Amino acid sequence: MLRALDPDEPRPPLAYRVPWRVDRIYDRHPLITNASALPLDFVRVFVDGGGASTTEHWGQMTPGDTAEVCLCDADPDDAVVTLAWFHPEDGNEYLWRFVM
C-alpha cells in the first residue's frame, strides 16, 4: 500500500554498491577487479559448477587490484562464482554471486 512520506522520518541508508567488475576476456578465466575506492579485506572466492567446487583466498584487495578466477574444473555454462569480503568501514561481511 502506498503512503505519504514523512519528511522528518529517518530514511534507511543507501544501498552499498557492489565493488566488483568482472571482465570475461577468457572463457574459463574471468578477471575480477576491485572497482571501489576502498580496500576490501579477507576476500574469498567460491566456485560451484558441474559437480566441482573450489575455494580461493585472495586476502586484501586494494582499489584497482585484479585477480583471475580459474573455472577449469567447473562447467563454464553452469558455474556460479561467489565473492565474500569484509567492508573496511563497517566491518560487515558481504557476499555477491554471479554466473558465467
Side-chain angles (χ1 to χ4, degrees):
M1 175 180 357
L2 296 176
R3 67 177 178 85
L5 294 177
D6 180 356
D8 296 326
E9 182 179 314
R11 294 189 183 190
L14 296 175
Y16 170 51
R17 181 180 290 235
V18 174
W20 305 107
R21 184 182 75 230
V22 178
D23 295 308
R24 293 180 173 105
I25 297 171
Y26 310 108
D27 189 33
R28 291 185 179 262
H29 295 269
L31 302 176
I32 299 177
T33 301
N34 176 1
S36 74
L38 297 171
L40 305 172
D41 295 326
F42 305 108
V43 178
R44 292 160 334 276
V45 180
F46 308 95
V47 178
D48 292 310
S53 71
T54 59
T55 302
E56 297 180 26
H57 297 269
W58 290 353
Q60 186 181 63
M61 289 187 71
T62 58
D65 280 355
T66 299
E68 183 177 320
V69 176
C70 180
L71 301 177
C72 293
D73 294 334
D75 178 359
D77 295 327
D78 192 32
V80 177
V81 179
T82 304
L83 296 168
W85 71 96
F86 287 89
H87 191 281
E89 291 183 342
D90 61 18
N92 289 327
E93 182 176 24
Y94 292 88
L95 299 172
W96 181 60
R97 300 179 92 183
F98 65 93
V99 296
M100 294 300 293

